[in-house]
Amino acid sequence: MKFMKLGSKPDSLQTDGNIRYVATELATDFVVHVEDVKFYLHKFPLLSKSARLQKLVSSSNEGNGDEVHIHDIPGGSNAFEICAKFCYGMTVTLNAHNVIAARCAAEYLEMHETVEKGNLIYKVDVFMNSSIFRSWKDSIMALQTTKSLLPLSEELKLISHCIDAIASKASVDVSKVDWSYTYNRKKILEENGDNPTWNGVRNRMVPNDWWVEDLCELEIDLYKRVIVNIKGKGTISNEVIGEALKAYAYRRFPGSVKGVIQVDDVSKFHSVLDSIVWLLPAEKGSVSCSFLLKLLKVAISVDLGETAKGELVKRIGQQLEEASVNDLLIRARDGEATTYDVNIVQKIVVEFMTQDRDAETEMENDNEIREIRKPGIFSEASKLMVAKLVDSYLAEVAKDPNLPLLSFIGLAEMVSSFSRPAHDGLYRAIDTYLKGHPGINKSERKRICKLMDCKKLSADACLHAVQNERLPLRVVVQVLFFEQVRAAASSGSSTPDLPKAIKDLNCGSNGSSRSTTANTDEDWDAVASAEELRALRGELAALRLGNGAMHERNGDKASMSKMKGLIMSKKIFSKIWSRKAAQGENSGSDSTESLGSSNNLEETKYTPSRNGRHSVS
């Protein structure tokens, strides 16, 4: 720390409680009241250097000219003591902790060069310009003291001088940084022996973000001004600015980024969060998506303004593919029915979709608006990552028994246009929801199952689905059917000759043939019975065994084995269909569970063409 000593006489100012006096043979003739402290001094040394004291004494001559009161001097009694000692020529030490207070007090007392040459204001200015503003840490410490000295510290431009000195230091090329700074991450690396060495001497490379931890000591209003000044110089990258904001946020509310918010601290978080959001660089990727989501969690917890939360949602949407499921698990506010805030995640996904709009309009010469098609700003890989992220997120929130079906379906349908090769993740989410919500009716069960495309389930997912007692029989049969089709295609065989009703169910037939009963669709949408699942499981096992045999035998034997499997499929499908038809003849339609009356039943048929509209492709 830089310091400067003023004066050469011994310090003879004594303290006795709230009384301070000069211990000399000459009796004091002047009393100055500063706050609750009385200074017993001599007029001549003080009045010879302070124009303000001269005025105060002159104006009080009619009363008691030997006693004046000062209540609003910046820095209080300690700052006045520095000025008084300077007037007596006593030794006084100036440093980064008291120099701003001394400067403001000297200004208040009007200790200018016009009163006496070499006065205190001049000497303090020389010290600050030659030492304080040239020192990295002294500039920061001096800036921290300015807040209690407002508004004079602002009027004298002391704050702006400190800020500019700090910003200039932070903006220099790292190769020219030869002063000390705080960098705990660097210290950790050295302790772990990760820094390179040469001939036993550590090669200390200055990191680009060497300055961020020292600035974390500043209060938010001063910190904000420093960062704005640094950004204005244009030499620091957006990534380093982002790292600085991250370090400051973690320092200012530790634990809050994990959702632990103390009620007593909520008010102070508002200004910090607002400022951090305002300071975020506009460029995508300047801060991580994970950090943005942590800020959003805190913003929701402390009920930050909608403007700031909306800005965070927008920025998160711009880089949503970088997020993880844990990042998106944002707790709902107290009093909400659900465990997690699914609505805010929907807003983030909507923002992602908005950013990827692939059309713009321009005005032609004839004042007609023409649509110009252009590719979305996100790559197919990014969209695939977001789709998988949403699937995994849905699998987590689906465990909440209070999650409404419409919230689940609404979020899943948002990414339905994003093509992905497999729907295993979506199937897992659907199965989790069905397991956690056993009370949903057949119509809701059918609706949620329409989200997935059975053709895009892996072999393992198909095996699980065929044994899943929570799925409607319609879905189980579809899974087995597409597994059969896939196996037939791989062996070069034709699609099995299934009963027409099964073909209508799986292949999109829109015919009006209804040879059984009006309750057929309801039977297929009901949960599969144990007997039906055993039959389908046996068929899938035989099919998988047939696939293994094809790789072991020659082509002719494999084909014959495959055909036997397909014939067996036909028999089992026919058996199930016949049983369903018989059940339909012996039971009437339940109006409370029916998907539609006989007039609109054709609309509710589950066909691949509709599946295409409702599934996540």
Side-chain angles (χ1 to χ4, degrees):
M1 181 187 296
K2 303 290 185 180
F3 66 92
M4 181 177 72
K5 285 189 175 182
L6 298 176
S8 57
K9 296 179 181 180
D11 185 357
S12 57
L13 189 65
Q14 304 296 314
T15 300
D16 182 10
N18 289 339
I19 296 175
R20 299 179 190 179
Y21 60 94
V22 178
T24 63
E25 295 180 358
L26 184 63
T28 58
D29 58 356
F30 187 41
V31 179
V32 181
H33 296 263
V34 181
E35 298 174 332
D36 58 345
V37 179
K38 286 183 179 182
F39 289 86
Y40 288 85
L41 306 170
H42 301 87
K43 285 185 180 179
F44 176 74
L46 271 71
L47 300 187
S48 65
K49 292 181 172 61
S50 172
R52 187 180 187 92
L53 289 177
Q54 293 176 13
K55 297 173 186 175
L56 289 174
V57 170
S58 299
S59 62
S60 61
N61 275 340
E62 296 178 359
N64 185 1
D66 297 334
E67 192 168 344
V68 296
H69 294 264
I70 300 176
H71 301 290
D72 55 350
I73 183 171
S77 58
N78 291 332
F80 178 80
E81 182 176 324
I82 292 175
C83 297
K85 287 181 178 181
F86 173 80
C87 293
Y88 278 95
M90 299 177 187
T91 301
V92 60
T93 302
L94 296 179
N95 54 45
H97 293 294
N98 62 15
V99 67
I100 300 295
R103 177 64 180 85
C104 291
E107 185 70 27
Y108 176 88
L109 295 173
E110 299 177 20
M111 302 174 73
H112 300 286
E113 291 295 284
T114 55
V115 180
E116 183 177 87
K117 290 293 182 180
N119 214 336
L120 184 56
I121 289 177
Y122 170 77
K123 291 185 179 294
V124 170
D125 286 344
V126 169
F127 174 57
M128 288 194 295
N129 291 322
S130 63
S131 298
I132 298 297
F133 296 150
R134 293 188 179 185
S135 169
W136 166 249
K137 289 195 172 181
D138 284 353
S139 297
I140 296 174
M141 286 187 287
L143 180 60
Q144 288 177 287
T145 67
T146 60
K147 190 171 183 179
S148 62
L149 301 168
L150 291 170
L152 193 54
S153 60
E154 188 74 75
E155 295 172 2
L156 297 176
K157 300 188 182 302
L158 298 174
I159 295 178
S160 59
H161 285 319
C162 288
I163 289 173
D164 190 63
I166 295 168
S168 298
K169 287 281 187 183
S171 301
V172 302
D173 189 277
V174 292
S175 62
K176 298 179 180 179
V177 176
D178 57 359
W179 49 84
S180 63
Y181 54 86
T182 304
Y183 197 77
N184 291 326
R185 285 162 291 179
K186 182 180 180 65
K187 181 179 180 181
I188 292 172
L189 288 176
E190 291 177 352
E191 290 175 350
N192 293 335
D194 293 336
N195 267 15
T197 59
W198 183 74
N199 290 341
V201 179
R202 292 202 179 272
N203 181 19
R204 296 176 179 270
M205 300 296 295
V206 178
N208 290 329
D209 59 344
W210 62 267
W211 48 270
V212 304
E213 292 183 41
D214 284 324
L215 294 192
C216 290
E217 303 298 328
L218 297 173
E219 292 298 322
I220 186 59
D221 51 347
L222 295 174
Y223 180 82
K224 182 177 179 180
R225 293 175 63 175
V226 172
I227 295 297
V228 169
N229 197 308
I230 291 174
K231 291 170 71 174
K233 293 185 181 299
T235 60
I236 302 298
S237 68
N238 293 315
E239 289 75 16
V240 175
I241 296 294
E243 187 63 27
L245 296 174
K246 180 179 177 180
Y248 190 82
Y250 283 11
R251 177 74 66 86
R252 285 294 149 181
F253 29 83
S256 60
V257 291
K258 298 179 181 179
V260 182
I261 304 296
Q262 300 295 328
V263 176
D264 295 339
D265 298 331
V266 167
S267 58
K268 76 174 184 179
F269 286 157
H270 278 218
S271 60
V272 175
L273 279 174
D274 270 325
S275 297
I276 290 176
V277 173
W278 185 81
L279 289 169
L280 288 172
E283 288 72 17
K284 174 184 175 182
S286 54
V287 292
S288 68
C289 189
S290 177
F291 173 59
L292 291 172
L293 279 160
K294 287 176 180 177
L295 287 180
L296 181 59
K297 290 178 182 180
V298 178
I300 292 173
S301 299
V302 301
D303 196 21
L304 196 63
E306 293 301 321
T307 302
K309 287 191 288 188
E311 181 64 21
L312 286 171
V313 167
K314 178 180 177 181
R315 291 177 180 274
I316 293 167
Q318 292 175 347
Q319 49 196 94
L320 181 57
E321 69 274 15
E322 302 172 12
S324 68
V325 175
N326 285 336
D327 292 333
L328 290 178
L329 292 177
I330 302 172
R331 287 271 175 182
R333 296 288 305 277
D334 293 340
E336 297 290 335
T338 58
T339 304
Y340 298 105
D341 192 340
V342 180
N343 291 332
I344 197 70
V345 175
Q346 288 180 330
K347 292 178 181 179
I348 292 171
V349 176
V350 167
E351 187 60 41
F352 179 85
M353 305 287 290
T354 302
Q355 294 289 326
D356 195 56
R357 283 176 180 166
D358 60 352
E360 65 179 1
T361 58
E362 65 178 16
M363 189 70 68
E364 296 290 340
N365 293 332
D366 55 358
N367 291 330
E368 291 183 1
I369 296 179
R370 182 168 64 91
E371 186 176 311
I372 307 298
R373 304 296 296 181
K374 66 177 183 180
I377 64 173
F378 295 113
S379 65
E380 291 302 318
S382 294
K383 296 177 185 178
L384 176 60
M385 292 172 67
V386 169
K388 289 183 175 180
L389 175 67
V390 171
D391 290 347
S392 299
Y393 174 78
L394 287 172
E396 289 297 321
V397 298
K399 301 172 185 177
D400 182 3
N402 295 321
L403 179 66
L405 178 67
L406 291 180
S407 296
F408 183 98
I409 292 176
L411 184 54
E413 288 182 339
M414 285 182 182
V415 293
S416 61
S417 61
F418 294 168
S419 177
R420 49 198 190 275
H423 276 198
D424 288 15
L426 183 56
Y427 167 69
R428 184 167 68 91
I430 292 172
D431 183 50
T432 303
Y433 190 89
L434 293 177
K435 184 177 181 180
H437 302 76
I440 65 174
N441 58 41
K442 288 188 292 184
S443 174
E444 294 171 331
R445 203 174 291 267
K446 176 182 178 181
R447 184 175 180 185
I448 194 174
C449 288
K450 278 187 177 183
L451 292 168
M452 67 178 174
D453 188 346
C454 296
K455 295 190 295 293
K456 293 189 175 183
L457 296 180
S458 67
D460 290 338
C462 287
L463 180 61
H464 185 279
V466 171
Q467 303 178 74
N468 192 342
E469 298 180 358
R470 291 181 286 273
L471 295 178
L473 181 61
R474 173 192 298 270
V475 176
V476 177
V477 172
Q478 278 188 313
V479 171
L480 184 56
F481 172 78
F482 289 122
E483 185 76 3
Q484 296 274 17
V485 171
R486 207 161 32 222
S490 64
S491 64
S493 303
S494 59
T495 303
D497 184 17
L498 301 175
K500 184 178 186 301
I502 300 293
K503 287 184 177 180
D504 289 346
L505 181 65
N506 296 289
C507 300
S509 171
N510 291 317
S512 60
S513 173
R514 296 177 46 77
S515 57
T516 54
T517 68
N519 207 35
T520 301
D521 265 9
E522 282 195 46
D523 291 333
W524 283 115
D525 293 331
V527 177
S529 67
E531 183 181 352
E532 292 162 349
L533 285 176
R534 280 197 299 272
L536 292 173
R537 285 200 297 269
E539 170 57 26
L540 184 58
L543 176 63
R544 294 171 69 85
L545 184 61
N547 282 336
M550 285 193 295
H551 294 290
E552 298 175 0
R553 303 177 183 178
N554 58 40
D556 292 339
K557 290 184 178 181
S559 297
M560 291 181 65
S561 174
K562 187 61 196 163
M563 289 305 297
K564 288 180 67 178
L566 296 179
I567 293 172
M568 182 61 68
S569 298
K570 177 181 177 180
K571 290 179 180 179
I572 291 179
F573 279 130
S574 299
K575 183 177 179 181
I576 294 174
W577 180 254
S578 299
R579 182 164 60 253
K580 285 294 178 185
Q583 291 172 354
E585 291 172 357
N586 296 325
S587 63
S589 176
D590 185 353
S591 60
T592 63
E593 296 181 349
S594 176
L595 295 177
S597 64
S598 59
N599 293 331
N600 63 4
L601 183 59
E602 203 62 42
E603 286 186 355
T604 63
K605 266 196 169 182
Y606 187 76
T607 64
S609 61
R610 298 190 178 194
N611 186 33
R613 288 197 298 270
H614 292 279
S615 67
V616 184
S617 57

